[in-house]
């Protein structure tokens, strides 16, 4: 919100600023209660909305562990970065 507020018109910027200064607390409370929450403002006739919902994250399995969960094989590590070829360095 702090990032986009300066680019908004005066009314929307004020709404965003109020949310940053404490309006988010209601959303935080709602999320802690396990309920969905929304925040919206209007910028020059366009309604911009944020919809948030609580999510439960499972702890990640240590890949070095001997006992991995069954789903561990569904996820692979990232592909290796693309190696660029460079000309060999001159020998002396």
């Amino acid at each position: 919100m702090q990032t986009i507020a300066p680019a908004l018109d005066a009314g929307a910027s004020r709404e965003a600023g109020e949310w940053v200064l404490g309006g988010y607390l209601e959303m935080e409370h709602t999320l802690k209660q396990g309920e969905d929450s929304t925040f919206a403002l209007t910028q020059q006739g366009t309604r911009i909305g944020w919809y948030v919902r609580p999510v439960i994250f499972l702890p990640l399995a240590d890949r070095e562990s001997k006992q991995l969960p069954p789903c561990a094989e569904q996820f692979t590590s990232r592909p290796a970065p693309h190696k660029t070829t460079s000309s060999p360095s001159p020998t002396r």
Side-chain angles (χ1 to χ4, degrees):
M1 210 52 68
Q2 289 174 318
T3 302
I4 69 165
L8 300 173
D9 62 34
S13 182
R14 182 181 32 75
E15 288 180 65
E18 290 172 0
W19 188 87
V20 167
L21 293 175
Y24 69 90
L25 293 172
E26 183 179 335
M27 182 180 281
E28 183 179 308
H29 176 73
T30 304
L31 287 170
K32 286 180 179 178
Q33 298 299 316
E35 299 173 16
D36 300 349
S37 189
T38 60
F39 174 72
L41 49 82
T42 302
Q43 163 71 14
Q44 297 178 353
T46 301
R47 189 85 170 147
I48 305 168
W50 289 264
Y51 178 81
V52 295
R53 61 188 173 108
V55 178
I56 299 172
F57 291 95
L58 298 174
L60 297 174
D62 179 3
R63 289 275 179 188
E64 301 302 317
S65 176
K66 292 181 181 176
Q67 185 69 28
L68 293 175
C71 66
E73 298 307 318
Q74 294 176 5
F75 305 98
T76 59
S77 59
R78 292 182 181 183
H82 179 66
K83 293 184 180 180
T84 58
T85 58
S86 59
S87 55
S89 57
T91 55
R92 293 184 186 171

